[in-house]
Amino acid sequence: MAEVSLCPPLTRESVQAAHKRIKQYIHRTPVVTCDTINTLASTPQSKRCPSSGPNVLSEPAPHDLRLDVKATRYSAEPNVRLFFKCENQQRIGAFKARGAFHALGRLIDEQGIDEVRRKGVVTHSSGNHAQALALAARTHDVPAHIVMPTISTPSKISGTQAQGANVIFSGSTSDEREAVVVDVMKKTGATLVPPYDHPDIILGQGTQALELEQQVIDLLAGNAKLGVPSKHGLDAVIAPIGGGGMLSGICTALQGTGIKVFGAEPNFEGANDAEIGLKQNKRIEKVKTLTIADGLRTPVGEIPWSIVTDKSKLAGIYSVNEDQIKAALRLAMERAKLFIEPSAAVPLAVMLYNEEFRELVQREAGPGGWNVGIILSGGNTTVDAIAAIFAPPVKVEQRTQATVGANGEKVVENVAG
């Protein structure tokens, strides 16, 4: 990659320059709204929970897993209008195309196209950056070597291979992936294009925030009823954080605009390393988790960490559990008709279910409310994978099909219907 010391500064102006560089290669993805989800997000959880009364909104509202916490305590009632930035409709199905095209373009400027083609590029990724770099490399006729964990989603593996990349498999942790990358570099001389920990990646990922900002202004100009009155158009943006390339890019793009930026993480098996790290005032370097939000299983990189720890750029990070992610995923698909992967559902889950965050929004926005951008980071999953996430336990399914008796015996019941 281009030397960090030679990279453009991490500023809004640099993100704007990055957007000019890559816009011919990427989609300006749409921004959509959903009245039903707006209503849910603006309704206290206690009023949309089956355990506290009629579930008139037909919405599963998971709460605290502790049995001593009653649903009625979840009373925050923020007034919000949500604007979904659909990066699930980006090329290769995720925002990562932005960073890959920008980073490879900068590398070509620095080394020359012939040298980059001679050496090739290499990276490690669970899937979205893998596909993005493979696409960017194919576009410029550059060889690409992609190290992927063996547990990567099959659709992401096949998508990377479809772009003509050489896929090499590794273990699931960052250490295991990086070890294989080093081996590939020794054998091929390929240049590493990291998935998130580099200024050129960060600046590329931040371009989606520039688009979202302007798109919301344009939408409200056409129909003011889509949002609440706001001098900025957008009041806040929530984005997922794994390695931190996207979130730090969005922080950089929106600095000085008055728009608050928040991060969203899963908390299964310590996947919320950024949230924990902020509380402990140190970057957590190792993460090993099998959260369903597979794109967020990595620790925050050093450069993104230097940005997200700046309180003038990031307003906070909040996390959600697996059930909450699944509930948000279901809502996005069934109510908003948005086909997204679990990682992309995490910001919506925070808006809907993290009571601390909901209380903050209610308190800071006041009765006037906020217009909130929700980054839907990608849609690289399959119908089979989604079905598996929502599949009932085997015995429950067998009981439903009458292949297991009421007492668990494996006999078919002949029940008159």
Side-chain angles (χ1 to χ4, degrees), residues 10 14 32 37 80 84 105 107 145 157 185 201 254 304 327 371 397 411 414:
L10 290 169
S14 294
V32 302
I37 297 181
V80 293
F84 297 99
L107 181 65
H145 308 278
I157 296 173
M185 293 172 67
I201 294 290
L254 297 180
N371 296 323
E397 179 64 18
V411 295
N414 183 13

Side-chain angles (χ1 to χ4, degrees), residues 19 22-23 25-31 85-87 89-91 98 207-208 210-218:
H19 194 245
I22 68 173
K23 64 182 180 180
Y25 301 114
I26 62 169
H27 296 323
R28 188 173 189 263
T29 53
V31 172
K85 178 62 170 167
C86 297
E87 287 294 287
Q89 296 182 34
Q90 185 56 261
R91 293 187 71 183
R98 297 174 181 273
T207 60
Q208 62 195 292
L210 300 179
E211 293 177 3
L212 173 61
E213 179 187 9
Q214 186 59 50
Q215 286 170 300
V216 171
I217 291 173
D218 294 343

Side-chain angles (χ1 to χ4, degrees), residues 291-305:
T291 172
I292 59 172
D294 64 300
L296 308 179
R297 291 174 178 170
T298 53
V300 181
E302 292 184 12
I303 298 175
W305 180 252

Side-chain angles (χ1 to χ4, degrees), residues 49-216:
C49 178
S51 65
S52 60
N55 190 21
V56 295
L57 295 174
S58 300
E59 192 268 335
H63 300 298
D64 200 302
L65 296 180
R66 293 171 296 172
L67 297 178
D68 62 334
V69 178
K70 295 183 179 180
T72 52
R73 296 186 186 180
Y74 290 75
S75 58
E77 193 171 1
N79 179 23
V80 293
R81 300 296 181 272
L82 308 183
F83 294 83
F84 297 99
K85 178 62 170 167
C86 297
E87 287 294 287
N88 56 312
Q89 296 182 34
Q90 185 56 261
R91 293 187 71 183
I92 65 88
F95 75 96
K96 292 281 191 176
R98 297 174 181 273
F101 272 107
H102 184 248
L104 186 56
R106 289 263 304 124
L107 181 65
I108 290 170
D109 281 356
E110 182 181 79
Q111 297 186 3
I113 186 63
D114 292 337
E115 180 67 3
V116 175
R117 285 174 176 165
R118 184 184 69 81
K119 295 165 62 177
V121 291
V122 63
T123 196
H124 61 90
S125 166
S126 63
N128 286 340
H129 179 63
Q131 293 177 88
L133 183 59
L135 170 64
R138 190 193 70 179
T139 301
H140 292 288
D141 196 25
V142 172
H145 308 278
I146 312 294
V147 177
M148 303 185 72
T150 54
I151 61 172
S152 298
T153 304
S155 62
K156 294 180 180 180
I157 296 173
S158 60
T160 304
Q161 292 171 329
Q163 299 294 343
N166 173 34
V167 174
I168 306 106
F169 293 105
S170 72
S172 61
T173 68
S174 295
D175 285 347
E176 290 170 317
R177 290 186 284 181
E178 289 168 4
V180 178
V181 165
V182 170
D183 186 56
V184 171
M185 293 172 67
K186 288 179 179 178
K187 291 179 179 178
T188 67
T191 300
L192 173 64
V193 180
Y196 47 81
D197 203 5
H198 193 279
D200 288 338
I201 294 290
I202 291 168
L203 293 173
Q205 314 303 27
T207 60
Q208 62 195 292
L210 300 179
E211 293 177 3
L212 173 61
E213 179 187 9
Q214 186 59 50
Q215 286 170 300
V216 171

